[in-house]
Amino acid sequence: WQGVKPHLPRDLRAPVIDLGCGTGRYGLRVAKSGFQTVCSDLSPAMLDTCLRKAQEMRLEARVSVRQADVTDLAAFEREHYALAIAQGDVLSFATDPRRACKEIRGLLRPGGVLVASVDQGYAAIAHYVEKGDLEGLEQLLKAGEMEWLANDPAERFPVHTFTAESLRELLKSSGLEVLDLFGKTVLPFKKLESHFADEQATRRILGLERKLCRIPSALGLASHLQFAARRNEQV
């Protein structure tokens, strides 16, 4: 949320869209801050849950839900939104991340900002090394492509991963200017879970993470990358 908050519009009348909203974790928080928010997702079940939560929070007057694929946003108003959110690695799960970025840019008004997260490719190196999967490792490092690492093969699907460099290239070619980019998280939080029961230890870990997450040489350790990018009018 600290990576989203600085990019909230100054005008509460400015519309916001949450793409790949899921159950509304970010979109509903934005609506609670006072903004009219469209929550969009490919899954009707996710949208149903999001709408129910909005009603429980008495936010239904500020929240609307619409089903859409992030690679096809033609049904939405063009150059309309001051802020688009695509957290939860929506671009990594899109069938065509480049097309998705261009579709999102088309929704942003001049000066509009996209805040999103993606999977960071180098974080998966250890998995393929441990499995002895050289073909998978080559595909990851050559094209940034991998499968969702579910235990059940039936639950696996293609995932697009990015390095800081390839993400910057994607955004630039899509007409988006990077304002902020950081790792999320650089420290292996899952391996540190036992410390989070202690409040002081948690503060120490978060303090270390905040120092590391924007150091360029540390981004290759992060499991995800989060960025903010503004619509570039020079395209």
Side-chain angles (χ1 to χ4, degrees):
W1 178 249
Q2 290 180 3
V4 176
K5 190 175 180 180
H7 305 288
L8 291 175
R10 295 184 179 182
D11 185 352
L12 283 175
R13 296 170 296 179
V16 176
I17 187 167
D18 183 7
L19 298 160
C21 66
T23 61
R25 180 177 184 181
Y26 285 90
L28 295 181
R29 188 160 184 175
V30 169
K32 189 176 180 180
S33 299
F35 296 93
Q36 291 292 325
T37 307
V38 176
C39 291
S40 174
D41 201 280
L42 189 59
S43 166
M46 290 288 186
L47 293 176
D48 288 344
T49 301
C50 180
L51 184 58
R52 177 178 54 77
K53 289 171 65 175
Q55 292 167 345
E56 292 172 352
M57 297 169 68
R58 299 183 179 180
L59 294 173
E60 59 264 41
R62 294 188 204 145
V63 175
S64 61
V65 299
R66 296 178 67 176
Q67 184 180 5
D69 186 322
V70 73
T71 62
D72 182 4
L73 302 173
F76 294 92
E77 293 182 76
R78 315 306 285 178
E79 300 188 355
H80 178 69
Y81 297 95
L83 173 66
I85 299 171
Q87 293 283 67
D89 310 327
V90 175
L91 294 175
S92 284
F93 301 150
T95 54
D96 187 340
R98 193 171 299 274
R99 179 177 174 183
C101 281
K102 290 182 178 179
E103 285 286 299
I104 295 170
R105 182 191 180 277
L107 300 187
L108 295 173
R109 60 176 57 174
V113 174
L114 165 64
V115 176
S117 67
V118 296
D119 278 300
Q120 197 281 121
Y122 294 156
I125 287 177
H127 167 80
Y128 288 103
V129 171
E130 289 171 5
K131 297 291 186 182
D133 183 356
L134 294 183
E135 290 185 2
L137 181 61
E138 287 175 340
Q139 181 70 6
L140 173 71
L141 297 179
K142 179 181 179 181
E145 305 297 321
M146 59 178 283
E147 279 191 332
W148 179 255
L149 302 178
N151 291 326
D152 183 353
E155 295 179 356
R156 297 174 190 168
F157 55 87
V159 176
H160 307 277
T161 72
F162 300 87
T163 62
E165 293 80 7
S166 67
L167 179 58
R168 287 183 181 277
E169 185 280 326
L170 169 68
L171 296 171
K172 181 179 180 180
S173 67
S174 302
L176 294 164
E177 175 189 1
V178 176
L179 303 175
D180 190 20
L181 174 64
F182 61 93
K184 190 178 76 174
T185 60
V186 173
L187 292 174
F189 273 23
K190 288 184 178 180
K191 295 182 179 179
L192 293 168
E193 281 182 347
S194 62
H195 295 280
F196 290 133
D198 181 271
E199 185 176 344
Q200 185 177 1
T202 299
R203 286 198 299 268
R204 291 169 63 188
I205 292 168
L206 292 177
L208 292 170
E209 178 63 30
R210 291 189 185 102
K211 291 179 181 179
L212 287 169
C213 70
R214 284 186 170 83
I215 297 175
S217 58
L219 295 183
L221 296 172
S223 52
H224 305 82
L225 299 172
Q226 181 165 317
F227 68 87
R230 180 171 52 209
R231 174 176 164 138
N232 188 345
E233 299 307 312
Q234 304 304 314
V235 177

